[in-house]
Amino acid sequence: MKITVAVFFGCSSVEHEVSIISGVQAMHSLDREKYTVLPIYVAKNGDMLCGDALFDIASYKNIPALYQSCKRVWFCRENDRVFMKSRAAGLFKKEEAVAVDIALPVVHGTNCEDGSLSGYFEMLGLPYAGCDVLSAAVGMDKNVFKRTIAADDLPVLPAATITSLMWLEKRETVLACIRDGVGYPAIIKPVNLGSSVGISKVDTPADLEEAMELAFSFTDTVLAERAITHLREINCSVLGDRDACAASVLEEPVMHDEILSYKDKYLSGGKSGKTAGAPSKGMSSLQRKLPADLSPEKTAEIQDLAVRTFRSLGCSGVVRIDFLMDTADNDRVYVNEINTIPGSLAFYLWEASGLSYKELLDRILDLGFNRERRRKNLMFTIDTNLLESAGGLGGAKGAKGQ
């Protein structure tokens, strides 16, 4: 019997379109002999759609037409199973229900990758692949992430967290904090976004106004972090869970500016000979050196840091961890950030490591089922009813026995 996998993608995020690309890639790579695939497109307004048109990347050029060709669906738990439900058009049409075995979230950014969607699955009691609520939330917030891994003695760059109110009312204090605690040049970036959205490099205090305005247009909190002048960026994926995990080969993205931009990541084309700018390839279209040109010793050092970072957060599934290397400081390496649901699920790094995308998805789903088996051994209720002996609930004066 096939396993029914609901693949979630889209959501209300500035990375909505990137998630669509990653989601469609994953759906086409799942082994159809093992899985029945339910595409669940979460529109920007929160509607959930399911239908065959969602397998075609071209369909997303016309969202109103998708609403016409797909069904709006919802999920509920009945008789210890989770069902996807929909109501067919017509006054006397019956409600349709499909049992779902596991969810595969392929979402990026706030309102989804930050633990929101994991929490939804937890409430439903639906097994799901990938990071749990805590590791996803910590991984999304760059400030909390840096503090968490720094407590485990992982190397991070000096940084300062600034709220929009601080910037408006205590600007001189903020400027002094960046000058003395971070230094110039500095990177200004939203604290909880990915895909290089809203990021700027500033060389002097005079550059801060425009950079802050851009970052605050996406979030209420920004991170000011020391910039490395002589920089190499190195990425590594980790696959597994708290019990066992392994690092992929390393890649070095090719940057066309001082910062790896959204355009570099998704619109730069690749080595395949296809038209540059074809968005359907997602992160796999990024120009990169794969494997990265590093010594065996430096490669092993970064892979070890990647595994330690993964374990520090208690991650599960597949992640990508991005590192910064200072070539002017004896190739010193810093952990930059983690992508708990990486673009294209980092399949290109695992293909280079000898694991096909189809096999990678099998492993990710197996890890989700393993977590669910552990969860079923836990106790979530106790055999008592506190309300049986409860008195009046009219407030402190009416309560008895207090």
Side-chain angles (χ1 to χ4, degrees):
M1 182 178 294
K2 291 184 180 181
I3 297 169
T4 300
V5 181
V7 181
F8 286 76
F9 56 96
C11 295
S12 176
S13 163
V14 296
E15 299 174 78
H16 181 90
E17 287 75 17
V18 179
S19 173
I20 292 172
I21 295 168
S22 294
V24 172
Q25 286 176 333
M27 290 190 297
H28 282 285
S29 298
L30 282 162
D31 188 342
R32 296 305 179 88
E33 293 186 1
K34 293 182 180 179
Y35 309 111
T36 297
V37 180
L38 298 177
I40 309 298
Y41 169 57
V42 185
K44 292 182 179 180
N45 65 1
D47 289 343
M48 295 185 186
L49 304 180
C50 183
D52 289 341
L54 299 173
F55 289 101
D56 184 0
I57 193 70
S59 299
Y60 300 90
K61 296 178 181 179
N62 188 340
I63 299 300
L66 271 184
Y67 270 82
Q68 297 299 316
S69 61
C70 298
K71 298 176 182 179
R72 288 182 63 181
V73 299
W74 66 96
F75 292 81
C76 64
R77 188 171 186 83
E78 295 179 358
N79 301 320
D80 207 33
R81 291 294 305 274
V82 175
F83 292 87
M84 181 190 77
K85 292 195 172 185
S86 63
R87 191 178 301 279
L91 184 60
F92 301 104
K93 296 290 186 179
K94 293 184 178 180
E95 185 177 75
E96 299 176 353
V98 178
V100 180
D101 296 310
I102 191 168
L104 175 62
V106 192
V107 292
H108 307 312
T110 51
N111 305 310
C112 47
E113 189 185 356
D114 56 4
S116 301
L117 197 54
S118 300
Y120 175 64
F121 299 143
E122 294 275 4
M123 288 289 291
L124 281 172
L126 176 62
Y128 63 97
C131 287
D132 63 10
V133 177
L134 180 60
S135 55
V138 172
M140 178 58 64
D141 189 302
K142 294 177 175 62
N143 174 47
V144 177
F145 168 70
K146 287 171 70 74
R147 291 175 182 271
T148 299
I149 65 171
D152 278 340
D153 294 324
L154 285 152
V156 296
L157 287 164
T161 305
I162 304 147
T163 66
S164 57
L165 185 63
M166 290 169 59
W167 180 244
L168 288 173
E169 296 185 353
K170 301 179 180 179
R171 189 159 303 190
E172 291 304 317
T173 301
V174 170
L175 290 172
C177 180
I178 295 176
R179 181 193 65 226
D180 300 332
V182 177
Y184 292 96
I187 299 294
I188 306 298
K189 53 188 175 183
V191 79
N192 59 354
L193 294 185
S195 292
S196 301
V197 174
I199 296 181
S200 306
K201 181 183 178 185
V202 296
D203 294 308
T204 68
D207 302 325
L208 273 174
E209 184 75 37
E210 184 177 353
M212 288 290 189
E213 183 178 344
L214 173 63
F216 281 129
S217 68
F218 293 103
T219 183
D220 186 62
T221 309
V222 305
L223 195 73
E225 185 176 68
R226 181 180 298 170
I228 296 176
T229 303
H230 298 87
L231 172 67
R232 291 178 68 181
E233 289 200 24
I234 306 295
N235 300 337
C236 179
S237 180
V238 179
L239 173 65
D241 60 14
R242 63 182 184 184
D243 296 322
C245 60
S248 72
V249 299
L250 308 183
E251 67 164 339
E252 181 174 3
V254 175
M255 298 185 292
H256 295 90
D257 204 342
E258 293 179 295
I259 299 174
L260 189 65
S261 67
Y262 184 97
K263 182 177 179 180
D264 287 332
K265 289 183 175 181
Y266 303 111
L267 302 174
S268 61
K271 297 180 179 180
S272 64
K274 294 185 178 181
T275 303
S280 61
K281 296 184 68 177
M283 270 295 288
S284 63
S285 70
L286 174 68
Q287 294 180 10
R288 55 171 57 83
K289 296 176 182 178
L290 181 60
D293 185 14
L294 297 169
S295 69
E297 294 77 17
K298 185 59 67 173
T299 296
E301 175 191 343
I302 294 174
Q303 288 174 327
D304 178 65
L305 289 173
V307 167
R308 288 175 55 199
T309 301
F310 184 95
R311 287 177 170 157
S312 179
L313 269 65
C315 294
S316 180
V318 66
V319 308
R320 193 190 75 241
I321 301 165
D322 302 342
F323 296 89
L324 306 175
M325 180 186 296
D326 189 347
T327 60
D329 187 16
N330 198 31
D331 286 345
R332 187 173 181 180
V333 176
Y334 300 90
V335 182
N336 183 30
E337 60 185 51
I338 188 171
N339 299 270
T340 55
I341 306 180
S344 299
L345 296 184
F347 77 84
Y348 46 90
L349 287 173
W350 289 102
E351 284 186 342
S353 304
L355 191 69
S356 71
Y357 197 6
K358 184 182 294 186
E359 293 169 324
L360 173 64
L361 290 167
D362 285 344
R363 293 278 297 277
I364 293 170
L365 291 170
D366 285 345
L367 288 163
F369 281 124
N370 287 341
R371 176 172 54 209
E372 181 63 15
R373 284 190 285 270
R374 291 195 300 267
R375 179 184 173 87
K376 286 183 176 179
N377 291 327
L378 302 177
M379 184 179 294
F380 292 98
T381 62
I382 55 176
D383 189 17
T384 184
N385 188 346
L386 188 63
L387 299 179
E388 284 181 347
S389 59
L393 300 176
K397 291 184 178 179
K400 296 181 180 180
Q402 295 185 3

